[in-house]
Amino acid sequence: MHNHLLMRPTKLAVSLVIGLCSVSLSFLLPGLEQAAIADDLPVPDPQTDALVLDDRLSSDPSTVPDLTLEETVAEAPQEAIAPLNAAPLDTAVSETSAALDTPEEIISNAEDFSNLGDASSLSVVELDPAVLNGSMATVTSVNQLSDVQPTDWAYQALSSLIDRYGCIAGYPDGTFRGNAPMSRYEFAAGLNACLDGFAASASPDDLGTVDQLVQDFSAELADIRNRVDNLDARLAALEGAQFSTTTKLSGLAFFHFGTAGSNGGVLAETSNPDAPLNIRPAARNSLTNRPIVSRIDENPQFTLGYLVWLNLATSFTGNDLLFTQLAVGNGDSPANLFVSSGLYNTYGVPFTDQSGGVNDNEFVVRELFYDFPVGDSIRIAVGPRINWYRYFDGNAYTFFLTGASSFNSSGGTQLNAIDRGAGAVVRWDINNQLGLNIGYLGENTEFLPNAFFNTATDPSRGLFNASNTFTAGLTYSPSSRTNFRFTYTRSFLLANAAIRDENGTITGFGVGGAVSEPIYGVADDGFGGSINNASADTYSVNFDWRITNRFGIFSRYSYGSLYVNPVQAGRGRGSIDAQSFQAGLAFPDLGKDGALLTLSYLIPFSILDGREFLASGGGDGGIQYEFEATYFYPLGNNISLAPAFYIIANPNNFDSNPTIWVGNLRMQYAF
């Protein structure tokens, strides 16, 4: 009888000692171990957004990255990564790629300790600040707790603690609230009360048994202390070396190795093919008024170039995002050797085979905006450099990081003249199937020189009185496998593209080059003279459909009109009406999970009316069409290869031109 009575307090003592150790570990170790693991492993990309961010804010969209509003980085974080461009990064955040947290989620979760233990599972005590302040009623019997029933699994434990040690208190309303969460303060106060009660009622034999248990388990307790000390030291080192408590840094690096060629000389509309490729002049013969055409007989050599995007995804509240993307590179695709004036970086050029800014190897700010919620279903992005492709014209199979990879394939060729601009975009998630994005951007593009462009920051032109676009995009997703996107863009474009004669003399200014969509090329009054600033309308629809887990289809159609108003009196007005088309097949997870093969057929710019207003881009009336194949193959979470092969028929809209082929290997690194 005596031995039986002795065992009950002994068991209680063992339970208290072991419980104290285990609960302390349950509260401390998860957070410390997570921090230590984070110190050893690479950080995912939010954009890819992207990240990408970061595009991860998330791509697929994953989750970014990026805080990519897209994951960045993945995240994206993703996103990253996309953050990253969802064009991202240029699309940016997009329906892409890596399954990473968005930058918002990454930053928010970084200080979320709610997963470090469920105190409601402990049958020791339940307290809140009212207990610590002495406003809780002492309980002398378990029957005083109205919400504790004899059928509860912890009923006997509570009864024993009350009857033997008196270390349980109830709420003023007579409840115990056994399933409510417990803070560490509450646990410490309750455990101390029980230990005091045990010390007051335990016999010398009981206390001797506890001392013996402490000695018997001294090695285990010392090991636990060492583990906590080591993890605490590693956590302190990690916190001391972290980049920022509010900002996540992620990035993408691209290497491009490739070449291009043709089986004969290629006709291009320019008066000087020896000028820098990105500023080849458009010109008309002063006698015939016909565009001047040059012949390019030289084939490009092999090139190896790079592009790097660095993403800074900052959150102040956990739901907002300040996104900054820096870019630097030196890429210039071999296919650019063949293009007419105004067609630089269009056909045959992989989207990330570019320099990033006006000058090679010079850092520029590619994106800068602040994104924040308004209510539960609306978000607003505002900033001096917003990436249009993050919010409009996305497609699951033409996202440049993982899908169709050329400039012409990864987005609508006629849709928007302003890639990056100052303004705002409003996103409204109407319901699970409908989403509406509306945006206004004044031109402010990182790869254009300030002398003629970046008009949104020019006091003499400004945000509303120079090149700008208004866009509305509606997305309808009848299922998780199918998406339809309808986009309308109203454009206002400055006439700042110089037109020359055969002697190189400037005869007028038209619309063309990088800021000219919905046209490809350069437009004037038909005689080499100037036109007034032009307005334009563009309509587009695109869809993607994942028919099976391993097969999908996608397509895009656009129609646009640019309205021509000559400066010189007596010259007739008109419009350049054109269309573009794309259709393709997609093979997800081909050869490996995460891989994607896309096969695409497209017509980037087919002129329906008004070819007489084109000093470049009209050719001899032919219709350029392209076949493209891109295979994205991930070697791991952070490294991918993407070989691509393009065939361009009737280049520059000359049906007399030979076919051009382009081969490229992209090496893509997310960090």
Side-chain angles (χ1 to χ4, degrees):
M1 183 70 174
H2 174 75
N3 292 337
H4 176 69
L5 293 175
L6 177 63
M7 288 302 294
R8 295 189 65 185
T10 300
K11 289 180 180 178
L12 176 60
V14 173
S15 300
L16 289 172
V17 172
I18 295 176
L20 176 60
C21 295
S22 351
V23 173
S24 299
L25 285 176
S26 74
F27 273 71
L28 296 174
L29 290 182
L32 294 173
E33 288 175 347
Q34 289 171 10
I37 290 171
D39 194 28
D40 291 337
L41 297 180
V43 178
D45 178 1
Q47 244 289 346
T48 51
D49 294 185
L51 262 358
V52 162
L53 48 94
D54 262 306
D55 106 151
R56 118 259 204 212
L57 276 165
S58 156
S59 293
D60 254 13
S62 182
T63 72
V64 173
D66 84 314
L67 245 193
T68 163
L69 273 176
E70 337 297 340
E71 218 96 117
T72 78
V73 162
E75 209 164 351
Q78 103 325 280
E79 265 123 36
I81 286 352
L84 296 185
N85 196 326
L89 287 229
D90 236 347
T91 118
V93 210
S94 249
E95 289 132 299
T96 77
S97 53
L100 302 176
D101 289 342
T102 64
E104 299 99 314
E105 292 170 334
I106 292 172
I107 294 173
S108 175
N109 293 339
E111 296 184 358
D112 180 8
F113 301 104
S114 61
N115 64 336
L116 298 188
D118 181 4
S120 64
S121 64
L122 302 174
S123 58
V124 181
V125 71
E126 181 70 21
L127 298 174
D128 76 355
V131 176
L132 305 179
N133 294 332
S135 61
M136 304 287 288
T138 301
V139 177
T140 58
S141 170
V142 72
N143 295 326
Q144 293 177 252
L145 301 172
S146 61
D147 58 344
V148 176
Q149 305 300 324
T151 55
D152 292 337
W153 68 272
Y155 180 83
Q156 290 298 331
L158 290 171
S159 179
S160 177
L161 289 171
I162 294 171
D163 295 342
R164 295 181 63 83
Y165 304 106
C167 62
I168 294 294
Y171 285 87
D173 62 357
T175 61
F176 180 64
R177 305 180 193 175
N179 291 322
M182 171 191 286
S183 71
R184 283 186 263 193
Y185 286 124
E186 293 169 345
F187 173 73
L191 181 60
N192 182 67
C194 284
L195 289 174
D196 288 345
F198 171 72
S201 61
S203 68
D205 290 341
D206 295 337
L207 297 176
T209 302
V210 172
D211 290 338
Q212 185 61 47
L213 287 169
V214 171
Q215 295 177 22
D216 292 344
F217 288 95
S218 60
E220 287 79 3
L221 293 173
D223 179 65
I224 290 172
R225 276 194 296 270
N226 288 336
R227 289 181 62 194
V228 172
D229 290 343
N230 290 336
L231 289 172
D232 189 50
R234 296 180 67 184
L235 178 60
L238 178 64
E239 290 177 340
Q242 66 181 335
F243 175 74
S244 169
T245 57
T246 59
T247 301
K248 181 175 179 61
L249 171 66
S250 64
L252 286 166
F254 309 94
F255 298 168
H256 282 273
F257 175 71
T259 189
S262 70
N263 59 1
V266 176
L267 300 179
E269 290 174 302
T270 180
S271 60
N272 184 9
D274 297 324
L277 303 181
N278 58 336
I279 57 172
R280 279 182 173 170
R284 287 187 184 271
N285 185 285
S286 59
L287 298 178
T288 65
N289 289 326
R290 297 181 61 84
I292 294 177
V293 177
S294 300
R295 179 185 175 97
I296 299 167
D297 294 307
E298 178 186 4
N299 274 332
Q301 302 298 314
F302 281 92
T303 63
L304 176 60
Y306 80 95
L307 176 67
V308 174
W309 289 334
L310 297 179
N311 308 301
L312 299 172
T314 303
S315 181
F316 305 102
T317 67
N319 291 321
D320 62 344
L321 173 66
L322 174 64
F323 187 77
T324 306
Q325 185 179 83
L326 306 178
V328 62
N330 66 354
D332 196 347
S333 180
N336 279 322
L337 191 66
F338 297 119
V339 298
S340 291
S341 175
L343 297 183
Y344 181 79
N345 269 358
T346 58
Y347 65 77
V349 177
F351 184 85
T352 53
D353 192 5
Q354 55 175 290
S355 64
V358 176
N359 302 313
D360 290 348
N361 308 310
E362 182 177 275
F363 271 99
V364 296
V365 176
R366 186 171 185 271
E367 293 187 64
L368 180 60
F369 64 87
Y370 181 63
D371 185 290
F372 58 93
V374 178
D376 295 331
S377 60
I378 295 177
R379 294 191 69 92
I380 298 176
V382 59
R385 189 157 278 174
I386 294 176
N387 185 355
W388 188 88
Y389 293 97
R390 279 189 179 270
Y391 308 102
F392 302 100
D393 194 39
N395 191 283
Y397 301 124
T398 67
F399 181 49
F400 72 101
L401 287 179
T402 57
S405 60
S406 79
F407 270 96
N408 281 357
S409 246
S410 60
T413 54
Q414 296 182 281
L415 262 178
N416 201 63
I418 296 177
D419 298 321
R420 258 75 61 196
V425 175
V426 179
R427 291 172 290 156
W428 178 22
D429 293 330
I430 301 172
N431 55 43
N432 291 335
Q433 293 183 321
L434 282 176
L436 177 65
N437 292 358
I438 297 176
Y440 175 88
L441 297 180
E443 188 272 317
N444 184 13
T445 308
E446 76 282 357
F447 57 80
L448 296 176
N450 289 332
F452 299 99
F453 301 95
N454 295 326
T455 54
T457 60
D458 183 346
S460 65
R461 296 174 178 175
L463 186 63
F464 303 105
N465 195 37
S467 295
N468 58 68
T469 61
F470 169 84
T471 305
L474 179 68
T475 299
Y476 171 57
S477 304
S479 73
S480 61
R481 291 175 172 267
T482 308
N483 302 284
F484 294 90
R485 299 168 192 84
F486 307 90
T487 306
Y488 165 73
T489 297
R490 175 69 175 179
S491 305
F492 181 78
L493 308 173
L494 287 185
N496 54 14
I499 312 296
R500 289 175 165 80
D501 62 15
E502 64 274 16
N503 300 314
T505 303
I506 295 178
T507 59
F509 288 89
V511 171
V515 185
S516 64
E517 287 90 340
I519 68 167
Y520 258 26
V522 181
D524 62 5
D525 66 355
F527 299 89
S530 296
I531 62 175
N532 290 299
N533 299 330
S535 60
D537 293 296
T538 309
Y539 308 86
S540 175
V541 58
N542 88 59
F543 81 91
D544 56 78
W545 178 20
R546 187 161 185 163
I547 300 174
T548 70
N549 289 338
R550 303 273 180 165
F551 177 68
I553 60 175
F554 59 95
S555 185
R556 176 185 278 109
Y557 175 80
S558 300
Y559 174 88
S561 295
L562 181 138
Y563 309 108
V564 177
N565 181 14
V567 171
Q568 184 170 329
R571 291 182 176 174
R573 300 182 180 186
S575 67
I576 302 172
D577 304 324
Q579 62 183 357
S580 60
F581 175 76
Q582 179 183 25
L585 308 176
F587 302 88
D589 300 328
L590 181 65
K592 184 178 183 179
D593 288 348
L596 176 62
L597 171 66
T598 57
L599 305 176
S600 179
Y601 167 80
L602 63 115
I603 298 173
F605 183 61
S606 172
I607 303 159
L608 302 175
D609 190 30
R611 191 166 73 89
E612 67 273 16
F613 293 115
L614 286 170
S616 174
D620 61 4
I623 299 177
Q624 178 177 310
Y625 60 94
E626 306 170 21
F627 294 97
E628 301 188 0
T630 301
Y631 182 45
F632 174 78
Y633 187 83
L635 298 177
N637 292 333
N638 301 89
I639 302 178
S640 306
L641 295 178
F645 186 75
Y646 314 140
I647 296 175
I648 297 95
N650 301 336
N652 301 324
N653 280 335
F654 283 91
D655 58 14
S656 56
N657 263 338
T659 297
I660 295 170
W661 59 267
V662 180
N664 182 266
L665 175 63
R666 181 176 87 239
M667 293 149 279
Q668 182 170 303
Y669 309 90
F671 55 92

